[in-house]
Amino acid sequence: MILAIETSCDETSMAVMDEAGRVTAHRIYSQIADHQPYGGVVPEVASRCHVEALPPMLDEVLAGLGEPLPRIRGVAFTRGPGLATSLLTGMASARALAVRLGCPLAGVNHLHGHAVSVRMTEGGEVGALALPALILLVSGGHTLLLLEEEPTTYQVLGQTLDDAAGEALDKGAKLLGLGYPGGPEIEREAGRGDPAFVPFPRGMSRPDPNPARALCFSFSGLKTSLRTHLGRHPDQLTSHLPDLAASYQEAVVASLLLRVRDALDRYPGVRTLGCAGGVARNRRLRALLAEEARRRSLVLALTPPAYCADNAAMIAASAHLAGDWVDPVSGNVDVLPGWGL
Ligand code: KG4
Ligand code: ZN
């Protein structure tokens, strides 16, 4: 069995995965309430919360297994990208545990974990995927279009040139006077609103003429246009909040779909359309992706909502499928806060 630890940002999470790729234990402690008074994640607060949450969580996970400790054959942890001080807490815990158990250690790329999560089933099993797959990875810090031709090897086809989709939702929510994190708040308001109320611009509605950027995204203009709109119509914050939220959410989601369609046109051999990351919880985005997959007769692989936000099950899955196992004492497992995919 693999024990995995995720502490890249504001979620402390642990998971155990058995030899067959089944999640047998999973805990997530979300720090949202700890950061809410500040309107965003405070790195200092995050690392302190991890330090407090990790030991009792480990006790709980191990107790729940009802198995003796030595059955763990490897310890995985998130090596990057993420907040340096948060990553360090997970690395130190994982390393100490691996030394104590005399088992190898794997430093996992957080984005690889998100990408692999499209294979997870609702029941917590790592399944197979029909390849090639196009995967839209949308989180608070990243917006990536990935092509998976060989299992768990990802080619970055495009990414955002400025804000990530989740960041655009978080910043938009702030402008609308909604709470943090903004994505779920906007989705909740949008449920009662009219998405056609304000025709906010779709970021890069036409692809960048530079071929290297043809599949890239941009969200900073959208945020600015919301700010400008609110400057002109401040009264709408009270009279039309759901309509504004629905219009803004629609612009973010439609911008994502534009590039997904471009990528699918460009890679006609793709068999699976996947989506992962915190923003993949969004029901409007899931519905549009499902419609696109149906229209093109593609297999749909949306990460189950329980594994969209940061979690250790996806870190365990990444290590299970493609772990880079090293000796916990002599191996280089330094954290990599700016690690790309
Ligand atoms: O993957 P994630 O949990 O953390 C990062 O690795 O960044 O993603 C967090 C992002 C936040 O921007 C949050 O607002 C967004 O995911 N998010 C959502 C929803 N739930 C979380 N965005 C849209 N709709 C949601 N239901
Ligand atoms: Zn993440």
Side-chain angles (χ1 to χ4, degrees):
M1 290 191 288
I2 294 171
L3 188 143
I5 301 177
E6 152 67 36
T7 62
S8 67
C9 188
D10 59 344
E11 260 96 27
T12 314
S13 179
M14 262 181 216
V16 176
M17 182 168 276
D18 70 12
E19 298 86 337
R22 260 194 317 257
V23 176
T24 55
H26 195 205
R27 295 280 184 289
I28 302 178
Y29 169 72
S30 169
Q31 302 177 4
I32 285 176
D34 301 282
H35 298 284
Q36 234 146 19
Y38 310 99
V41 178
V42 182
E44 180 66 25
V45 173
S47 59
R48 240 180 287 166
C49 286
H50 289 308
V51 169
E52 283 167 17
L54 283 166
M57 189 177 279
L58 181 61
D59 287 345
E60 207 183 297
V61 164
L62 295 176
L65 286 180
E67 302 261 359
L69 203 55
R71 284 263 327 232
I72 306 288
R73 295 277 184 262
V75 180
F77 71 99
T78 303
R79 196 177 174 194
L83 301 169
T85 47
S86 287
L87 292 166
L88 281 168
T89 64
M91 185 273 274
S93 307
R95 190 172 215 170
L97 195 59
V99 171
R100 157 76 177 77
L101 296 172
C103 71
L105 188 61
V108 170
N109 183 303
H110 180 83
L111 300 172
H112 194 273
H114 273 305
V116 162
S117 74
V118 305
R119 293 166 180 259
M120 302 290 300
T121 64
E122 301 270 355
E125 286 178 42
V126 181
L129 206 63
L131 300 179
L134 181 80
I135 298 171
L136 175 68
L137 196 171
V138 270
S139 70
H142 294 86
T143 302
L144 297 169
L145 256 183
L146 306 172
L147 181 66
E148 180 181 7
E149 288 179 310
E150 295 300 321
T152 74
T153 300
Y154 303 97
Q155 185 192 338
V156 178
L157 300 180
Q159 54 195 307
T160 181
L161 301 174
D162 39 61
D163 291 346
E167 199 176 353
L169 289 164
D170 293 338
K171 290 178 176 173
K174 217 171 209 174
L175 291 171
L176 291 170
L178 298 170
Y180 177 86
E185 296 275 319
I186 286 191
E187 178 168 31
R188 188 170 44 82
E189 284 297 328
R192 300 182 287 123
D194 172 13
F197 182 66
V198 186
F200 286 122
R202 276 48 176 153
M204 298 180 78
S205 52
R206 255 173 281 143
D208 195 302
N210 175 350
R213 293 174 162 200
L215 293 174
C216 285
F217 306 86
S218 168
F219 292 101
S220 62
L222 170 61
K223 181 190 59 198
T224 306
S225 83
L226 173 61
R227 187 183 291 120
T228 308
H229 182 88
L230 291 174
R232 287 198 195 118
H233 310 279
D235 50 304
Q236 289 183 358
L237 269 180
T238 40
S239 62
H240 289 279
L241 183 59
D243 297 326
L244 292 172
S247 302
Y248 192 78
Q249 170 181 273
E250 194 63 19
V252 170
V253 170
S255 306
L256 292 170
L257 258 294
L258 280 174
R259 279 306 95 77
V260 166
R261 291 193 192 106
D262 289 344
L264 290 172
D265 290 344
R266 215 173 249 240
Y267 296 91
V270 162
R271 295 169 64 199
T272 298
L273 176 59
C275 185
V279 183
R281 290 187 77 123
N282 187 274
R283 287 186 300 265
R284 178 70 180 143
L285 176 60
R286 293 177 87 86
L288 288 179
L289 289 168
E291 198 181 305
E292 193 65 31
R294 203 166 34 242
R295 202 168 26 229
R296 298 187 191 239
S297 304
L298 301 173
V299 179
L300 185 66
L302 306 179
T303 300
Y307 300 113
C308 282
D310 291 346
N311 67 86
M314 70 185 196
I315 302 305
S318 166
H320 170 76
L321 293 171
D324 182 11
W325 298 99
V326 300
D327 182 278
V329 179
S330 61
N332 175 12
V333 289
D334 287 345
V335 300
L336 299 170
W339 202 7
L341 192 60

